[in-house]
Amino acid sequence: MMKKPFVAGNWKMNTDSHTSVRLADDIAAGCSQTAGRSFEVAVIPPFVYLQAVVRTLSASSIAVGAQDIYFEQKGAFTGEISAAMLKDVGCVYVLCGHSERRHILGETDRMVNRKVQAAISGGLLPIVCVGELLEERKAVQTDQVVKRQIKNGLDGLNDEKISAVTIAYEPVWAIGTGLTATPQQAQEVHALIRQMLAEMYDNQAAKEMRILYGGSVQPDNTAGLMAQQDIDGLLVGGASLKADDFLKIIQEAI
Ligand code: PEP
């Protein structure tokens, strides 16, 4: 059975209290008119607009996710947000290990793993992001980097916990740069990830896990990416900030 395509929009540090609600509203209105295969959509706004966006989307089937989480449950961690807080405001998903957090904010594989564990224990569904830098691709280290990130990021998850996880392969050189991995380049890495998951968990679990592609996804490159056997959906940054583009991507993906 084919998996439902899953399209998630990461708004990063964009929008304000007015535009976040309007964007959510426009996406919900567009999705309600989108006919075709069944599909799943999530939006991932900045923390401070989560509640307003959850409220705006309450009558829709669009899920809301957070861009990050902290791995401790509560206490003296100024500025951090726990799984329970995200759950309390209506989040379903949470990004763990987005490349901007790994490379700008210094998140390590170990921190990503603790965030994934905290998310699952708190009843959230983590979207675990992996991907190589340009110099790593040039040095033919893509497989090695992605394998390390997957192995460390999912460390300690059993067969039951892994079913909560979605993986996003996002080559860092393709994020926000306008450069996209070709469908073949993306498929090669997705197949590698699927193979690794089959070795770490059972074959059925590996088949059922969703592996999203992210990196300068636009309406005109969606169909080629989604035609690949191991690409189950898309994590969209820049293009998710324009309702029309995001809706076109969803339409192309289903
Ligand atoms: C992202 O933020 O995860 C992303 C893929 O961004 P963009 O689509 O802008 O490359």
Side-chain angles (χ1 to χ4, degrees):
M1 205 181 78
M2 273 184 82
K3 272 169 252 169
K4 268 191 208 175
F6 178 29
V7 182
N10 173 16
W11 296 356
K12 311 193 189 197
M13 199 171 73
N14 293 298
T15 70
D16 59 28
S17 54
H18 175 70
T19 55
S20 57
V21 166
R22 214 175 82 193
L23 182 55
D25 222 6
D26 290 348
I27 293 169
C31 283
S32 70
Q33 290 164 11
T34 302
R37 279 170 65 195
S38 62
F39 58 96
E40 190 179 344
V41 173
V43 295
I44 308 178
F47 284 134
V48 287
Y49 307 128
L50 282 170
Q51 269 185 297
V53 170
V54 166
R55 222 176 293 123
T56 305
L57 296 175
S58 60
S60 81
S61 57
I62 299 173
V64 177
Q67 298 176 16
D68 189 29
I69 182 174
Y70 195 56
F71 40 75
E72 297 291 352
Q73 287 182 12
K74 64 191 287 193
F77 304 103
T78 302
E80 296 295 345
I81 307 282
S82 70
M85 291 169 180
L86 295 177
K87 190 87 184 146
D88 182 40
V89 297
C91 282
V92 173
Y93 290 99
V94 61
L95 295 180
C96 295
H98 189 279
S99 73
E100 285 147 18
R101 299 209 59 85
R102 289 179 189 265
H103 299 294
I104 303 173
L105 293 144
E107 260 180 33
T108 61
D109 287 347
R110 169 87 182 118
M111 289 165 78
V112 174
N113 179 249
R114 292 186 72 185
K115 290 182 177 201
V116 173
Q117 301 264 12
I120 298 173
S121 302
L124 296 163
L125 304 175
I127 301 176
V128 184
C129 305
V130 298
E132 81 286 4
L133 297 163
L134 184 58
E135 52 267 35
E136 292 166 335
R137 176 159 282 265
K138 284 187 178 157
V140 201
Q141 290 169 348
T142 300
D143 291 12
Q144 186 187 323
V145 170
V146 169
K147 278 184 176 174
R148 191 204 71 226
Q149 290 172 335
I150 292 279
K151 190 168 166 294
N152 294 342
L154 304 182
D155 190 35
L157 300 190
N158 59 21
D159 282 348
E160 191 197 329
K161 285 189 173 169
I162 196 69
S163 64
V165 173
T166 298
I167 305 286
Y169 168 58
E170 301 203 295
V172 181
W173 49 272
I175 297 181
T177 58
L179 296 173
T180 324
T182 64
Q184 292 70 25
Q185 283 173 322
Q187 167 59 26
E188 273 171 27
V189 182
H190 280 234
L192 171 85
I193 295 171
R194 185 91 61 202
Q195 169 69 30
M196 268 200 90
L197 295 171
E199 285 161 16
M200 292 165 72
Y201 302 97
D202 71 48
N203 219 1
Q204 197 53 30
K207 276 194 194 131
E208 283 167 12
M209 275 185 72
R210 294 184 300 194
I211 309 176
L212 314 182
Y213 169 79
S216 298
V217 172
Q218 294 291 335
D220 62 2
N221 57 26
T222 295
L225 290 161
M226 287 301 293
Q228 303 304 309
Q229 188 182 344
D230 290 296
I231 300 185
D232 305 311
L234 303 163
L235 180 54
V236 186
S240 71
L241 292 168
K242 294 185 202 126
D244 280 356
D245 284 350
F246 193 55
L247 290 165
K248 277 188 207 143
I249 289 170
I250 293 166
Q251 193 65 59
E252 289 288 333
I254 62 180

